[in-house]
Amino acid sequence: MLGIVRQKMLGQSLLKIRPAISVLRSYSSAAKQMTVREALNSALDEEMSADPKVFLMGEEVGEYQGAYKISKGLLEKYGPERVLDTPITEAGFAGIGVGAAYYGLKPVVEFMTFNFSMQAIDHIINSAAKSNYMSAGQMSVPIVFRGPNGAAAGVGAQHSQCYASWYASCPGLKVLSPYSSEDARGLLKAAIRDPDPVVFLENELLYGESFPVSDEVLDSSFCLPIGKAKIERKGKDVTITAFSKMVGYALKAAEILEKEGIDAEVINLRSIRPLDRSTINASVRKTNRLITVEEGFPQHGVGAEICASVVEESFAYLDAPVERIAGADVPMPYAANLERMAVPQVEDIVRAAKRACYRVVPLAAAA
Amino acid sequence: MALSHLAASASRSSSLLKPLSSALSLRRSISGDNSPLTVETSVPFTSHQCEAPSRSVETNPKELLTFFRDMALMRRMEIAADSLYKAKLIRGFCHLYDGQEAVAVGMEAAITKKDCIITAYRDHCTFVSRGGTLLEVFAELMGRQAGCSKGKGGSMHFYKKDSNFYGGHGIVGAQVPLGCGLAFAQKYSKDETVTFALYGDGAANQGQLFEALNISALWDLPAILVCENNHYGMGTAEWRAAKSPAYYKRGDYVPGLKVDGMDALAVKQACKFAKEHALKNGPIILEMDTYRYHGHSMSDPGSSYRTRDEISGVRQERDPIERIRKLILSHDLATEKELKDVEKEVRKEVDDAIAQAKSFGADRKEVRATLP
């Protein structure tokens, strides 16, 4: 059913040929809504259709249609040779995926969540990420490791960690994290086409969220550049960087801030490694204030790197200290009230932005 | 043993009877020819869940002489690397393969360059058997741009993709799932080729090996897992590390073969058998009973956990080069002097390669990757 709808959309898009760089305008001319799940599914489908070397491997990706239904319909369409259900052996199947990539295939390896990627992290880092360098270019590893990352809802400490900063610190890897359906489609396609290993961090809670998508986004040739952030909301008073689910929170915070006279610029990082330092720095040079937002643990997080980058490149432009909003420095608790406190909320971002703008109301003052 | 004893006495008597010139004309040239020769392996194969191949191996003079030359070259190369390491021209880790040469040359003789090989960090000789040059080896060991990884990899990271040699891996056991992945890709691409994933007795206990073997068996991948059992995982003897050191049986439902890894012809026979098996029936394990003369690496003398008697005993009784030498002499394929000349030649080749590698300045500029 989705296929037929897509066929119609493709037909329409072929009639109006627009350059791919117009993706920044996508919100303005959007007519169709698409969930992140549909976006990922369609991207996988199209890339598997376009290149017979692309195959999908992971737990429950085939007959179960995907633990989160991201790979729905793919087994039926491409068969068991290209959509492979693996046993629960991450180290084994991640290694097999990397070996297949060495030979020239283009594996998409799914981790049911990135928490389980720790079982296979040696293959991601030592077998995949470093091989191109260690072999002086002989070994190219065109593999994508994808799956949900970060907190879900009530899944507890062992199933809620964000791995963005861990993977992004490693040279040889590319690390992407989409927010919207457009991000999901464009970045997954870019990841699959990329000759280097890519860690693709999705978010379970975003899978069901719907976003408007333009015709360019729906076209099968659509692709987003790796290493470019997107300014989701232009502003002039404070820069807020975020990725994945936190982009939505940052946008909500920006709406609240607008009512209070603070015009926030929200940057959707899209790419954690390489980090779009120039977009971030250009924004900070304009606003002079920076809040970084991430879900993961605060120490050595993505925000720490962004802060260092801004201090290195745009120190003179800062009018306030850079503040990092991150998850709490505890393993994720289970109880709903504790979990709420362990993950950044919209109010945390609003308060931080106000602090950066020196708009904090002192506790003593009652006016 | 009895066979070689008989053969030795035959060649002694024949050289006494024949004048030198006619001996020369009766014997083939040192490079040998392809006329078939059948040799028995030192010991029969022991099998698990399969029928062992025959002990009689088809070979020819050319092949035997090539074995001799190649192994002598590898031996010389590793010993030279030892000296270079002690002279501090090689840094970091250096894991030497001398004693195990028969596995590399025997395997190569059974397969093509379209079959894949992947191994761990004891990779210098495997790289050479896949077509790597001595210059590439020594330059890489000494961190020069002329090295096979342009000096960026070092001893543990030799690769030769154009002849399907996929490294060169430092993390114990990681190369096994990678090798099964190569096999997956070969099957996916319908190439009718196989992958040999080599690992040691130390790596044989790694969980990821069993994970990869399980998947390979489920999906019928043409993966041949080759355990180079030199009986010591660094300083730990196999009986201290493995509850069951019968590595060829550890695949359980996966068939296995135990092979005398010091006998290049047995290795060749086993690899040939394994390739046929893997293409039809999926994974198989080969356990090569081999030995390394050096310690685990250059920082290990290798004598704190082994007796010198044990090491010299293997050298006397089972050395792979000596076995081939005896075979060549007993079949009158070359004289002792000719073989010694070969050894002199390879020694010179090694020395020349080292001199050439040294002549390249240590690379100071950033090396541009060879990606398009």
Side-chain angles (χ1 to χ4, degrees), chain A residues 202-248:
Chain A
E202 301 161 5
N203 186 292
E204 193 209 313
L205 299 173
L206 283 177
Y207 283 153
E209 258 192 60
S210 237
F211 293 87
V213 282
S214 69
D215 290 339
E216 296 97 290
V217 174
L218 294 168
D219 189 82
S220 64
S221 65
F222 177 66
C223 202
L224 283 173
I226 291 179
K228 282 298 294 166
K230 181 185 177 192
I231 299 177
E232 293 282 349
R233 182 189 191 282
K234 274 185 142 41
K236 57 173 175 48
D237 293 334
V238 59
T239 300
I240 305 176
T241 64
F243 62 95
S244 189
K245 190 158 165 55
M246 292 293 121
V247 176

Side-chain angles (χ1 to χ4, degrees), chain A residues 40 44 56-57 61 68 70-71 108-114 144-148 188 192 198-202 207:
Chain A
L40 294 167
L44 280 169
L56 178 63
M57 180 163 68
V61 297
Y68 302 97
I70 305 300
S71 52
V108 177
V109 173
E110 177 174 306
F111 291 118
M112 200 179 281
T113 76
F114 263 91
V144 176
F145 299 101
R146 52 158 291 274
L188 185 55
I192 293 172
V198 180
V199 166
F200 194 82
L201 304 171
E202 301 161 5
Y207 283 153

Side-chain angles (χ1 to χ4, degrees), chain A residues 21 23-24 175-177 183 187 224-232 267-280 282:
Chain A
I21 47 167
V23 294
L24 287 170
V175 180
L176 303 176
S177 193
D183 290 355
L187 293 177
L224 283 173
I226 291 179
K228 282 298 294 166
K230 181 185 177 192
I231 299 177
E232 293 282 349
I267 300 182
N268 171 5
L269 294 176
R270 283 180 164 176
S271 182
I272 318 295
R273 183 177 182 106
L275 197 56
D276 190 352
R277 296 166 204 275
S278 58
T279 298
I280 297 166

Side-chain angles (χ1 to χ4, degrees), chain B residues 129-144:
Chain B
S129 69
R130 287 261 97 180
T133 66
L134 288 172
L135 175 63
E136 287 175 315
V137 170
F138 289 115
E140 186 60 35
L141 290 174
M142 295 195 278
R144 314 294 161 108

Side-chain angles (χ1 to χ4, degrees), chain B residues 172-194:
Chain B
V172 170
Q175 74 278 15
V176 177
L178 295 172
C180 295
L182 293 170
F184 173 88
Q186 289 170 313
K187 183 169 177 168
Y188 188 102
S189 314
K190 300 182 171 34
D191 284 349
E192 292 297 303
T193 51
V194 298

Side-chain angles (χ1 to χ4, degrees), chain A residues 52 89 92 96 103 123 138, chain B residues 149 159 161 181 188 191 208 211:
Chain A
T89 53
I96 285 178
Y103 196 78
H123 282 298
Q138 271 189 77
Chain B
S149 302
Y159 304 83
K161 186 149 182 210
Y188 188 102
D191 284 349
Q208 58 184 320
E211 292 187 14

